[in-house]
Amino acid sequence: MIGTGILKGMAVTARNFVGSYFEKERLITVQYPEERSPLPENYRNFPILIYDDNDPHAGLRCVACKICEKECPPQCIYIVKSEDKKPDYMGKPQFYPKVFDIDISVCMSCQICVEVCPFEAIKMDKEFELSQRERFDHLLLRKEQLSKSNDYYHKIHPVEAETVDKSLAGAAAAAEAKKKAAAEAAAKAAAAKAAATATAEAKPAAGAPSPSPASS
């Protein structure tokens, strides 16, 4: 019948229109800022730096490898590597960013910096209320502003953060097991070397001629 499709479409529209007055999930208008729609797990806005424990400096995961700076399409990341080193989460001495700036007025939230980071150090935040009256200095976020705790990361991306923690814990356990195996191998090698040296020193003494009766 001609016009059946139009009637079906109008029925769907009418059902959604009427339902929007009675079903909360159909509401499309939110009285912001008094009301706020919950953000989904995979929502992203601008990058942040993650640190472990309670120290933003000592616990910072970033090692200033500058991969994110090189891969950033709009080139909004600026990093200066430190001259000294600090231990990372596996206890290995690593450089850290002396300066880490992100110009969020240029950032396009592509998340490429997150994908290329090999240390799980940079993630995407959910904070979107960042408007400022000044375009440049006020939208240039420094390392101190970008640094967020792992607890905060768990709060905004719980599923993703748990997966990352398991991965880092596995890497740390593997590194510790490798270090322990290397120490045990070195101890065995040292013991074997000491035993070989003792055996070599004992052989001449065992083969030395005994004194004759005439000489006594």
Side-chain angles (χ1 to χ4, degrees), residues 1-5 7:
M1 181 178 177
I2 299 176
T4 303
L7 292 175

Side-chain angles (χ1 to χ4, degrees), residues 39 45-51 53 123-128 130 145-158 161:
L39 299 175
N45 201 25
F46 296 114
I48 54 174
L49 296 174
I50 305 299
Y51 66 86
D53 299 326
K123 299 297 178 182
M124 302 302 286
D125 199 3
K126 285 187 174 183
E127 181 63 41
F128 58 87
L130 299 171
Q145 298 167 285
L146 295 169
S147 299
K148 302 290 183 180
S149 68
N150 192 37
D151 292 336
Y152 177 80
Y153 178 39
H154 273 266
K155 182 179 178 181
I156 62 174
H157 297 295

Side-chain angles (χ1 to χ4, degrees), residues 14-28:
R15 186 166 60 251
N16 283 281
F17 174 75
V18 175
S20 66
Y21 285 91
F22 303 100
E23 301 176 23
K24 190 172 181 59
E25 60 271 14
R26 290 178 179 268
L27 295 177
I28 58 174

Side-chain angles (χ1 to χ4, degrees), residues 71-190:
E71 297 296 330
C72 177
Q75 297 292 292
C76 65
I77 301 177
Y78 176 70
I79 302 172
V80 176
K81 184 184 292 186
S82 64
E83 297 178 358
D84 58 328
K85 293 184 178 182
K86 66 177 182 63
D88 63 2
Y89 66 96
M90 292 192 296
K92 183 179 179 181
Q94 297 279 10
F95 290 104
Y96 60 90
K98 184 178 180 181
V99 175
F100 196 118
D101 298 340
I102 296 181
D103 187 352
I104 63 171
S105 69
V106 180
C107 176
M108 61 185 191
S109 303
C110 64
Q111 196 173 280
I112 290 178
C113 55
V114 176
E115 295 173 358
V116 300
C117 179
F119 300 97
E120 305 288 357
I122 187 167
K123 299 297 178 182
M124 302 302 286
D125 199 3
K126 285 187 174 183
E127 181 63 41
F128 58 87
E129 296 175 313
L130 299 171
S131 60
Q132 300 287 343
R133 292 185 178 275
E134 299 293 334
R135 177 182 177 185
F136 298 104
D137 291 344
H138 290 74
L139 293 175
L140 181 65
L141 300 185
R142 311 290 183 178
K143 183 177 70 171
E144 293 74 20
Q145 298 167 285
L146 295 169
S147 299
K148 302 290 183 180
S149 68
N150 192 37
D151 292 336
Y152 177 80
Y153 178 39
H154 273 266
K155 182 179 178 181
I156 62 174
H157 297 295
V159 177
E160 179 184 301
E162 186 177 356
T163 303
V164 170
D165 279 359
K166 289 180 179 178
S167 175
L168 294 179
E176 184 64 26
K178 185 177 180 180
K179 184 178 178 180
K180 185 177 180 181
E184 291 176 353
K188 288 180 180 180

